[in-house]
Amino acid sequence: MSESGAEQATKRFICGVCEGFYGKPWTLEQRQELFCRMQRFGMNTYLYAPKDDYKHRLYWRELYNQDEMDELKTLIESAKQRNVDFVYALSPGLDIVYSNSDDVNMLKMKLDQVKNLGCVHFALLFDDIEDELSNEDSNSYFSIAHAQCSLTNDMYHYLGKPELFLFCPTEYCTSRTVPDMAKSLYLQTIGGKLDPKIDFLWTGPRVVSRQITVESIKEVTEIVKRPVTIWDNLHANDYDQTRLYLGPYDGRPTELVGQLRGVLTNPNCEFEANFIAMHTLAQWSINSSSKFPASHDDNYMETEGFEDDGEDVAAEKPEKGSKYCPKKALVMAVTDWLPELYKMKKLSGGKPADLETQRGGKPDANHESASSSQMAAAASGENSRSPESKRRFDPLSVMDVVLLCDLFYLPYEHGPQASQLLQSARWLVSNFKLLADHPGRRFVSRGRIEWYDKAIHFHDCYANLSIVVDRFVNIPNRELLYEMYSYINDMRSNLALVNSYIKWHGIDKPEKEPFKTGEQEPWVHRGGLLAEFRRLLPIERGNDSGKSFDLGPQSYIIRLYLSTDKDEVYSVCMKTFDDRMDASDILGGYPQLAGDLVVGALLKSYAQHCFVIEDEMGLCGFAAVAPSASDYYRLFGDEWMPELRKKYKLTTDNKADAATDEPIHRLTLEDVTKRIDSTLPSVAEEILSRYPGFVQVCIVPGRVFSRSVTQNLMRTLSKVLGASGLTGFHTLIPIDSHAELEFYYSLGLTDVTESCAGLENWIVLAKSLDA
């Protein structure tokens, strides 16, 4: 590294906020409040880089007018008063001509203008632009990296070598390096040509990185020859404004602090929603789960009836000063955030914000002489309400707010309570068949009882959430409410639909369908034209909602199967076994069963014809082929199935008691085994002759968004089988596996079932290699 360890040790760790999202920039007042919070949390750096400030990016050459300069000066001074470094950034990369002296001089004039306002820290950003030189620059520079280094070094020295000068590269994460990080000529040029005192911004493995490891940071640090500053998009929601992120800072070990120059969070577009993102990052930076001192600058606010007795989180609060733990950090952040919900911000002129809400009417004109509880009671008619109704107007508790955070957690995961709620709903919807009537049964089955118990529990959870939302709607901090209401109300409305759908099946038993065909209310089908187009995509129809997914470009590897891949291949089988849904709740007691049935025999005898798809998280799919389906069927029926019966102690005589021992799941080992064993040998000779190969393809929903990946996989299979002289291949799909059927259709297979007699429970799909 060019910079000495001693020099690096004297620099303080950058911990702060980057206003770098696409969307409506924050207001002057919001930024001033941001600086107050940053000072309270011990954060020290603010990067001004709003993509939709047109003089920051699109029209970067235009100088600020007097009003704009006055506002910038106020911001710079406000940050200084709060001990926050104000870093002014420009993004000239869209159309700058690096070799044009007029453009270079305009850039200097723009930076000079801001410097004269008192700004002493700067940044140049070259993210989200073309990575090729223009025709005008190609004669002056070897590459875009050389041009950017030349311009950045020039500005750094022109400004007097600022103590903090940030550079954002065009290849700002691993997934955007060409061809990869280790071989990136762009990054190598930056490391060798960029002044070593200029700091380097990096987002991690991806634009929105699920995890950032110490090893990955060491690798990029070595290449660019300086510790990097993470521009962290973990809480950014500008790419999908149907989502909000209220989860804790996670996926980054605290050991990174010693390897990094700093971390800047680029959070939600909604300013008020970022308290937790900032709070937990601040906890992470000091490796401590703790509360921060209360703000001493609340003159512009007044607290509206909030008392923090701490009773409901006594068991949840970690000891102050304990090491950073994301879940504990969330509770601590919510504990600090809760009083903010009960602060009433004043409008210009000193008048209190309008509190007209669902409680009824505006506050009394003489509200300052009355207690908040008296106002709430008078405005809402609380004294005439039932105890159950009054619960909806109690103040929010810490755990109420934690529940809301769980519902809007992080890009790659839901919060624990939300995950349980989703899992419960999935189980209920996928097990409606447990409610089917069976003539002659004298007792209610265990499966049916379990379904009712879970349905009632789900209803209770929804009812509790509805109460929490009502409490949230009544908070005095209307600015916070207005920014978050649409997200929270959408969540409640959709859960209400799911709850009604579940109740219709098993509890209410109405005579009419819950959702009629034809026209629906507009809130039933959300998203408008955009949603209609998205429903056409296989990522929508086949996506297992709630599973991890990736954003932006991603690298996939298609390679031959190795014996060490078996456990991961079996895991893929489990996650797709129930018609492309996770079957862990069905076959949890038999973790290898799905793999044994789907691909075990193929791996045992035809491993050399098996391929896997691998992404950054591991294996996400596979394709296994038997060149001779006839031999495979004989192997499966005569050798493999007897081994499985012995392994799982199953015989075809096993039958559950219809009255008392009905299985609580949709499928049983006996069901699957008997069905496969009895029908596989019945494939017609015509099919075996025309499509002699047998194939099984499984890809975890939500892990492969690019259609080109599956196309490449099928091309690979076709080449391998074609080279072996095969004319085609086929597979068998259970007749009720609709999602799996659609999946194979998307791979180019067609339905040839009519050519087979005696396959009542199966569909035969095939693909010819003749074309």
Side-chain angles (χ1 to χ4, degrees), residues 64-127:
Y64 292 110
N65 61 37
Q66 189 59 51
D67 289 341
E68 292 165 337
M69 286 195 296
D70 290 343
E71 182 169 318
L72 270 175
K73 184 175 182 180
T74 300
L75 275 178
I76 294 167
E77 292 175 348
S78 297
K80 186 175 181 180
Q81 291 170 4
R82 299 293 177 182
N83 296 318
V84 173
D85 290 340
F86 183 98
V87 182
Y88 176 80
L90 271 182
S91 295
L94 287 174
D95 61 357
I96 190 171
V97 180
Y98 298 93
S99 58
N100 186 305
S101 60
D102 290 339
D103 271 3
V104 174
N105 289 332
M106 283 304 305
L107 185 59
K108 290 179 179 179
M109 288 177 62
K110 186 68 167 283
L111 294 174
D112 266 339
Q113 187 183 38
V114 179
K115 183 179 180 181
N116 291 335
L117 299 176
C119 183
V120 295
H121 307 292
F122 296 90
L124 286 182
L125 312 181
F126 298 98
D127 55 319

Side-chain angles (χ1 to χ4, degrees), residues 220-478:
V220 69
T221 297
E222 185 68 25
I223 295 172
V224 300
K225 297 181 172 59
R226 71 203 72 209
V228 302
T229 299
I230 297 297
W231 173 313
D232 208 323
N233 292 315
L234 183 65
H235 288 89
N237 70 336
D238 55 352
Y239 58 86
D240 183 359
Q241 290 238 268
T242 63
R243 304 184 74 188
L244 192 70
Y245 301 118
L246 304 177
Y249 194 68
D250 197 6
R252 292 96 171 102
T254 54
E255 290 79 8
L256 281 174
V257 172
Q259 303 292 329
L260 295 170
R261 175 73 170 92
V263 177
L264 296 171
T265 178
N266 180 39
N268 298 283
C269 298
E270 294 77 9
F271 170 76
E272 291 289 347
N274 292 318
F275 190 95
I276 290 171
M278 294 170 56
H279 194 292
T280 55
L281 171 59
Q283 293 183 64
W284 175 89
S285 69
I286 59 175
N287 193 18
S288 173
S289 295
S290 59
K291 296 176 66 176
F292 290 99
S295 173
H296 297 295
D297 188 39
D298 292 335
N299 296 327
Y300 65 98
M301 308 175 89
E302 56 187 52
T303 301
E304 194 49 33
F306 173 77
E307 295 180 2
D308 182 13
D309 54 21
E311 290 181 0
D312 54 358
V313 289
E316 298 289 338
K317 288 183 180 178
E319 294 182 3
K320 185 172 181 178
S322 60
K323 289 187 177 181
Y324 183 78
C325 167
K327 292 181 180 179
K328 292 179 180 179
L330 174 62
V331 175
M332 301 307 290
V334 169
T335 304
D336 275 355
W337 191 32
L338 192 54
E340 301 288 331
L341 277 60
Y342 287 86
K343 287 179 178 178
M344 183 174 64
K345 296 184 179 180
K346 293 184 177 180
L347 303 175
S348 59
K351 295 182 180 180
D354 185 1
L355 288 181
E356 184 173 12
T357 68
Q358 294 179 1
R359 297 183 301 185
K362 297 181 180 180
D364 190 281
N366 299 317
H367 69 280
E368 291 185 0
S369 62
S371 71
S372 58
S373 59
Q374 289 173 330
M375 287 194 296
S380 62
E382 182 178 343
N383 294 331
S384 62
R385 284 195 171 93
S386 65
E388 177 64 25
S389 179
K390 288 181 179 180
R391 287 183 58 208
R392 296 181 178 271
F393 297 93
D394 288 340
L396 286 161
S397 68
V398 170
M399 298 318 295
D400 286 342
V401 181
V402 169
L403 171 60
L404 295 178
C405 293
D406 274 6
L407 297 173
F408 303 94
Y409 206 64
L410 292 173
Y412 295 96
E413 60 179 316
H414 305 305
Q417 296 176 86
S419 295
Q420 292 174 9
L421 196 63
L422 178 61
Q423 183 178 6
S424 178
R426 283 176 172 163
W427 189 92
L428 288 165
V429 171
S430 60
N431 280 283
F432 284 148
K433 63 177 63 178
L434 295 178
L435 304 177
D437 292 325
H438 294 274
R441 175 178 291 160
R442 295 179 296 169
F443 305 101
V444 178
S445 69
R446 288 192 304 171
R448 195 168 189 170
I449 293 173
E450 181 183 14
W451 192 95
Y452 281 127
D453 287 342
K454 290 191 174 184
I456 293 171
H457 178 70
F458 182 86
H459 173 76
D460 290 343
C461 291
Y462 162 72
N464 179 64
L465 172 63
S466 184
I467 290 173
V468 170
V469 173
D470 283 342
R471 292 174 179 173
F472 184 82
V473 166
N474 284 279
I475 62 173
N477 190 337
R478 311 312 285 171

